[in-house]
Amino acid sequence: MWVSIACAALFVHLNCLGITAESPWSPQAAAKSFSRLPGLHDLQQPVVTPNICGVDDVGRVPCGEPGIDDAQCGAINCCFDGQQCYYGRTVTVQCTIDGQFVLVVARDTTLPRLSLDSISLLGGSDAPCSAVDSNADFAIYQFPVTACGTRAMDLGDYVVYENKMSSSYEVGVGPLGAITRDSHYELSFQCRYAAMTVAALDVQLASNSPPMPVAASGPLMVELRLGSGQCVTKGCVQAQAAYTSYYGDADYPVIKVLREPVYVEVRILGRTDPNIALVLGRCWATSSPDPFSVPQWELLVDGCPYQHDHYLTTPIPVDGSSGLQFPSHYKRFVLKMFTFVDHDSMAHLQEKEEMLSQQDRSLLINLL
C-alpha cells in the first residue's frame, strides 16, 4: 500500500504500512499508519521546519499507540522525546485499512502561521469534511476516502483516491491594487489501495423467522364484542373468565339485569404489527342503532371512565399474561348494566327495568 502526496511541483512517494482506524479519530487509530509528509512548502512561503519536533507539551497531539518506542515512532514519521510519540510541526497524511483519510495539520506549517480555521477540502469544510478535533496548534481531519469530493482512479493493480487541502486568505483591496498578508497553502494527497479480487461466494441460508411487518399507513378495522365466559371453578376470576368466550350473532338479543356486569372488548382486526397500539378515546351508549341519536350515555371520555357515573366503567389491563399474540391490539372494560329513562318524565323507556333485550330496550355501545 502506498501514499502519494503532491504539493505544487513537489511529488513525494512514501512506502507505508496500513492501520485499523477507529471513528472518531484517536491517536491509537493512527498507530500503524502511513508516514507523514516531510517538510512541504507553501506555494509562496517556505515551511517553518527548523525544528519539526519542537512542539510544546500542552499542544502535542499523541501519535501511535501508548507505549510505542523510538523505532516504531520513527517508522511512522512522528516525533519521540524518550517517553511520548507525537505529531511534528508539519502536515501528516495517513491512509487506513478501512478506507479513511487521516490528515493532521500543524499551524506552523507555513510562515506566517497557517490559519487552521481557513482549511477546506474539495468537498468543503462542513461535516464530515470538518476537523474532528483540534487545539491551538493542530487540526485533525478524518473522513472516508469516498467522501469530501475525493476523486477515485483505477490504475490496474491499484485504486487511487485523491483529495486536496487548501487554505483561504484575506485580501485587502485598495484603489490601485490588492494585497494579502496571509499564507496560502495547497496540498494534494492520495491514498493507494491494492485492487480487490472479486470471487463468487456460495451461501446457504438457514430458515429464519419472517421479518417483522413493514409499518404502513392505512385503514384499521376494529370489532366490539361482549364476553360471555363464566367462572366454573373455585377461585376463578370472573373478569378473566369472561373473555374466554364471546356472544355470537345467534345469541342476541342478550338479556342482562340492571347493574349486572357487561364485559366489553374492542380489538383491531387483520393487523400483525406489534407496534400498533389501540387507544380508545370516547365510548358511549345509545338506545338505537344510530350512534348519533339521543339519548346517549358516556362510558369512556378521553380513554378514562366517565366521572359523572356512580357506577364507573372499569378498564381491564391487557398485557402479555393474557395469552394474546398482540396485547396492544386489544382494549377491555366492564360497565354495569343500566336502562335509559325519558328525559321529561324520568320514566323508564320500557316497563321492565330488571331485564334488557335488543327488542324492548336496545343498548348500543359506540366508539370514537
Side-chain angles (χ1 to χ4, degrees):
M1 191 177 297
W2 296 78
V3 176
S4 298
I5 302 169
C7 179
L10 178 64
F11 293 87
V12 180
H13 298 274
L14 303 176
N15 192 8
C16 311
L17 297 176
I19 67 168
T20 299
E22 297 176 356
S23 183
W25 181 89
S26 67
Q28 292 77 12
K32 302 174 184 176
S33 60
F34 295 115
S35 304
R36 63 172 165 80
L37 297 173
L40 297 179
H41 289 71
D42 180 88
L43 294 183
Q44 299 170 341
Q45 298 291 343
V47 179
V48 183
T49 55
N51 183 10
I52 291 179
C53 295
V55 182
D56 295 337
D57 292 346
V58 176
R60 288 183 179 179
V61 176
C63 178
E65 295 178 346
I68 191 173
D69 59 27
D70 189 6
Q72 294 169 326
C73 185
I76 56 176
N77 285 330
C78 283
C79 299
F80 192 76
D81 64 357
Q83 295 181 339
Q84 182 187 26
C85 184
Y86 58 94
Y87 289 97
R89 299 161 61 195
T90 184
V91 176
T92 303
V93 177
Q94 297 166 338
C95 307
T96 70
I97 288 179
D98 63 344
Q100 297 196 47
F101 282 115
V102 176
L103 181 70
V104 181
V105 183
R107 187 183 178 197
D108 288 333
T109 299
T110 63
L111 180 67
R113 289 181 170 183
L114 189 65
S115 173
L116 298 180
D117 295 335
S118 70
I119 296 174
S120 63
L121 302 169
L122 289 179
S125 57
D126 296 329
C129 312
S130 57
V132 296
D133 199 2
S134 65
N135 59 26
D137 298 313
F138 291 89
I140 304 163
Y141 298 80
Q142 179 177 346
F143 55 95
V145 295
T146 56
C148 300
T150 303
R151 295 185 290 260
M153 296 172 286
D154 187 355
L155 300 182
D157 294 337
Y158 294 93
V159 178
V160 178
Y161 298 92
E162 182 178 275
N163 207 307
K164 182 178 180 180
M165 177 199 106
S166 62
S167 65
S168 59
Y169 52 94
E170 184 178 353
V171 176
V173 179
L176 299 178
I179 65 168
T180 183
R181 292 186 173 89
D182 298 331
S183 296
H184 176 53
Y185 189 81
E186 291 185 354
L187 173 69
S188 295
F189 53 93
Q190 296 178 345
C191 281
R192 293 190 179 190
Y193 292 92
M196 302 292 291
T197 300
V198 180
L201 180 64
D202 185 12
V203 180
Q204 183 177 1
L205 298 178
S207 177
N208 296 320
S209 300
M212 298 299 291
V214 177
S217 60
L220 291 176
M221 295 181 61
V222 296
E223 178 186 44
L224 185 149
R225 54 184 182 172
L226 303 182
S228 62
Q230 298 292 328
C231 278
V232 294
T233 60
K234 185 177 181 180
C236 172
V237 179
Q238 179 58 34
Q240 297 175 355
Y243 296 102
T244 58
S245 61
Y246 300 88
Y247 291 108
D249 293 339
D251 298 321
Y252 288 93
V254 175
I255 299 176
K256 291 288 184 180
V257 178
L258 294 179
R259 298 186 187 178
E260 182 179 350
V262 178
Y263 296 93
V264 183
E265 178 182 274
V266 184
R267 62 172 180 164
I268 297 175
L269 299 177
R271 291 301 182 101
T272 58
D273 186 351
N275 297 312
I276 295 177
L278 176 62
V279 177
L280 299 181
R282 180 189 173 213
C283 299
W284 71 100
T286 61
S287 60
S288 74
D290 182 2
F292 301 106
S293 64
V294 291
Q296 298 181 5
W297 187 253
E298 304 285 359
L299 303 175
L300 296 175
V301 178
D302 294 329
C304 299
Y306 180 51
Q307 295 299 308
H308 297 289
D309 192 336
H310 294 300
Y311 296 88
L312 294 177
T313 300
T314 305
I316 298 179
V318 183
D319 51 28
S321 63
S322 64
L324 299 171
Q325 184 178 8
F326 304 107
S328 64
H329 294 190
Y330 291 76
K331 288 295 182 183
R332 291 171 175 172
F333 58 88
V334 183
L335 62 96
K336 294 298 180 67
M337 192 60 225
F338 62 89
T339 183
F340 287 101
V341 298
D342 183 83
H343 184 270
D344 296 324
S345 65
M346 295 301 172
H348 292 183
L349 293 183
Q350 298 294 334
E351 298 293 334
K352 299 178 181 180
E353 67 180 36
E354 294 86 1
M355 309 297 289
L356 177 71
S357 70
Q358 191 174 26
Q359 179 179 0
D360 55 17
R361 258 191 320 275
S362 296
L363 175 65
L364 301 180
I365 302 175
N366 306 280
L367 306 173
L368 183 61

